[in-house]
Amino acid sequence: MKRRESLSLLERLYIFEVIKGVIQTSGHLFKHFATFLLRTIGLMKNTKPWATYEYPDEARPYAERYRGRHRLTLNGDGSMRCTACFLCATACPAKCIYIEASEHDDPQIEKFPNRYEIDTLLCIYCGYCVEACPVDAIRMDTGIHPEIYPPDPRAFIEDKETLMLRSRVLEDLGPEALFKAHMKKLKDIETKPFETDY
Ligand code: SF4
Ligand code: SF4
């Protein structure tokens, strides 16, 4: 920013600066208006004259490193990779991960999480749980933002099955399917409130 004493006489009169601002703003207005008119007659289809997104019909593309909703990753046989080591729960600054470990029937496996829950109402989406996991059992690479749940705090708790199903859908149908299903659910909320599965 220029210091006040270094402004020229014309700049200090302000009126010319105001006129410059009005011309610049009007230029953008007329440019976008002309683009809009051309689009209505079928031209310039690939140019968007507005900066907004028609959410939820149209979603803003997320950055590659966007931290989306959690998922518990799976082994090749569909079992969960988590070994119930509690490192994620220990690292979590919001203390919103609850794990109950149990002995596994398979003597080769020491223990597994009989219960694994994340209270997404408390979660601050910091990603520390992902960083802390030594076996890559939890990820936030779903590309979908937090769910809208009914006005009941208990509904925001995502359990083991929900977190595993998210991985299954992502692996079977791909991120696009997961994203589309998520956006459809958000659109359906007005007619069929709060029916969610993954
Ligand atoms: S993202 Fe952060 S706050 Fe959320 S569960 Fe993981 S560690 Fe906890
Ligand atoms: S998700 Fe990872 S860090 Fe958390 S309990 Fe399971 S294995 Fe340990």
Side-chain angles (χ1 to χ4, degrees):
M1 199 171 123
K2 279 186 183 176
R3 289 177 61 83
R4 193 177 175 80
E5 55 267 30
S6 67
L7 294 176
S8 67
L9 177 65
L10 282 182
E11 284 171 333
R12 266 184 278 156
L13 285 174
Y14 289 115
I15 185 68
F16 296 102
E17 295 302 308
V18 171
I19 291 169
K20 263 167 66 183
V22 170
I23 290 172
Q24 194 167 22
T25 308
S26 315
H28 285 299
L29 175 70
F30 289 120
K31 188 178 134 207
H32 292 157
F33 187 59
T35 314
F36 184 78
L37 285 179
L38 288 170
R39 276 173 64 97
T40 55
I41 58 168
L43 300 171
M44 294 184 77
K45 280 282 178 203
N46 295 327
T47 310
K48 220 170 92 170
W50 53 85
T52 51
Y53 289 89
E54 303 274 331
Y55 186 87
D57 293 322
E58 187 191 6
R60 182 178 180 163
Y62 293 125
E64 264 180 42
R65 295 177 63 202
Y66 173 78
R67 289 193 196 113
R69 292 165 70 193
H70 304 78
R71 68 181 179 102
L72 285 174
T73 58
L74 309 170
N75 292 314
D77 60 359
S79 62
M80 67 192 310
R81 202 177 287 179
C82 176
T83 56
C85 70
F86 286 82
L87 281 177
C88 54
T90 308
C92 177
K95 301 288 168 229
C96 62
I97 300 179
Y98 180 79
I99 303 170
E100 254 178 38
S102 290
E103 282 184 18
H104 204 281
D105 293 338
D106 184 346
Q108 302 291 321
I109 302 171
E110 191 187 335
K111 56 186 172 143
F112 78 105
N114 184 36
R115 207 167 143 193
Y116 189 107
E117 291 172 356
I118 299 177
D119 188 341
T120 58
L121 202 57
L122 296 178
C123 175
I124 53 170
Y125 290 83
C126 63
Y128 283 7
C129 49
V130 179
E131 301 272 331
C133 183
V135 292
D136 189 26
I138 183 165
R139 289 192 192 170
M140 297 172 76
D141 59 357
T142 51
I144 49 175
H145 49 266
E147 187 68 84
I148 298 172
Y149 286 115
D152 177 354
R154 286 168 299 184
F156 285 80
I157 298 171
E158 296 192 333
D159 60 14
K160 185 174 87 174
E161 284 71 30
T162 304
L163 296 165
M164 287 172 72
L165 179 61
R166 208 167 280 153
S167 267
R168 225 164 275 140
V169 174
L170 193 67
E171 283 169 22
D172 293 348
L173 305 172
E176 282 299 312
L178 194 63
F179 191 81
K180 269 189 195 157
H182 179 65
M183 296 306 289
K184 185 175 176 309
K185 263 184 256 169
L186 290 183
K187 279 178 73 179
D188 288 349
I189 278 174
E190 283 179 18
T191 49
K192 294 182 285 176
F194 309 122
E195 285 180 15
T196 62
D197 39 18
Y198 57 83

